[in-house]
Structure formats: structure tokens, C-alpha cells
Amino acid sequence: EAVGKNGEPDGLSTPQATVGMPVNLDDDGAGRRGGSGDLENLDDADGSNPGAGSSDNRCTVKFLLSNAAAGSVIGKSGATITEFQQQSNARIQLSRAREFFPGTSDRILVLTGSVNSILTALHLILSKLLAEESSTGAAGVTSMPVKLVVPNAVCGGIIGKGGATIRSFVDDSGAQIKISSQDATPVGVTDRIITVTGTLEQQLRAVALTVTKMAEDPSYPMYAAMPINYSAVGPASPYG
């Protein structure tokens, strides 16, 4: 289980005052761009998954978004998602309107590309959603929780011995990081949810550290390349 900054076994960690900026990794090639993004089961049109385990350090990262947020990301006739792909060089995909992550009412967002491309795409997405929140009169909204979907098999590396790694991520980023308990995982699902809260800059830094660590796991390319289809999994209690 995740261990917080003060040793609590709940995955919650206290943010620090020092805020780091996202990891500045060299982008050694543009990520492959996709279509309009609203694809059944998130399969590529040609049956391939270009981000996982490729030779140019591209990776595939899954996030969760509400249905309303997903609609904003797609935009009218796919205009917004196409623009974000062009600006970030990341491939952006979303599950269909009624295809939710088990136990939630959230759709699956998949970003594929270099770590820098993924962070750029995430920054564009979160900035748009925050701007829309502010425009609706939600004064003072400066961030929203970021939820990553992570294979359970790589969570041990993210947590680290005695929670040392996740605590270092908290200290470095200033964000709060919570990993869902295995007991809360719906039957048949091999993924857990990492929830990151804080300012936008803190969240991007925490995501960068998490994704970089996750990609170091030898088993990660195999999990990232697996088809994403949760339709056979029955309903379960929502993640906390």
C-alpha cells in the first residue's frame, strides 16, 4: 500500500513548499498523431499502439475524465482534440460516451508520445477545463484532481520501499499523491488509480515523476500495449 509523507499507509502525502517544474526531458521525435480521438475501446484504427515500448522512448499513459470534461476535450467535430494533438505532438484518445472505467462514471483518456508531449497535452487539457470552470462562475478554481490509471504491477516501484519513492515525489512536486487501495479495485481489473492534487504546476511535476518512474519498469511496455477494454468487467464500488 502507498505510504504518506508521515508514514501513514493511506497513500496521502503532505505537500512541501518547494514547487518543481515538469521534468525537462529531450523530445527525440514527434509523437504520432491520431484521428479525432473518440474511438471504441481506444484501439488505433490500424490496430497498432504506437506509444508503448517504442525505441524512441514514447509511452502510453491513461487518465480518467468526467463525461462532460471529455466532451470539452473533443470539441465540436473533434476540433479541440485535433488542435491539442498538433500542439503537443501527442496522440490523444478517449473512450466512447458510455464506456467508463469500472466502478466510476469517468471515461478513459489515453495520451501517447514522449513524456514531454504527454505533459504538454495534459497541460492543454487541464488549462482548458480550468478556464471553462472559471467562466461558469466557479471563482478561485485553480486546479482539479488528476487521476492516472496505472497497472498494479508497477505500483510497487512508484511507492518504493517503505513509501520512500512516493514521498520523494511529494517532496519534489509539492503535490498530494494518493494511490487507491488494492481492496478497492473492482474484480477483474488489474489497474489502480493515482490521484494527484495541488496547483497545475505541482500536478504536472508529479505526473512527470510518476510517468518517468513507471516507464522504467521492465513490465510496463507489456501492460501499456494491452488492449484497453473494460466492458467485460461488472460494476463495483467507486474508487475513493
Side-chain angles (χ1 to χ4, degrees), residues 41-43 49 52 62 190 219-229:
N41 296 332
L42 300 169
D43 291 333
N49 190 340
K62 308 172 205 172
T190 58
S219 64
Y220 177 70
M222 176 184 69
Y223 288 104
M226 292 176 64
I228 304 166
N229 185 357

Side-chain angles (χ1 to χ4, degrees), residues 4-15:
K5 181 177 176 9
N6 298 316
E8 304 89 347
D10 61 358
L12 285 170
S13 302
T14 305

Side-chain angles (χ1 to χ4, degrees), residues 3 8 12-13 16 19 36 47 56 61 91 99 112-113 116 127 143 151 155 182 186 193 224 228 235 238:
V3 179
E8 304 89 347
L12 285 170
S13 302
Q16 298 297 297
V19 179
S36 62
D56 57 358
V61 186
R91 182 178 176 84
E99 293 178 355
T112 301
N116 274 347
S127 295
S143 68
C155 283
Q182 284 185 275
I193 305 300
I228 304 166

Side-chain angles (χ1 to χ4, degrees), residues 13-20 168-177 196-199 201-203 205-206 209:
S13 302
T14 305
Q16 298 297 297
T18 302
V19 179
S168 73
F169 291 174
V170 169
D171 292 342
D172 188 322
S173 68
Q176 291 184 337
I177 304 172
V196 181
T197 55
T199 66
E201 291 77 13
Q202 290 171 336
Q203 290 175 309
R205 175 63 176 173
L209 293 167

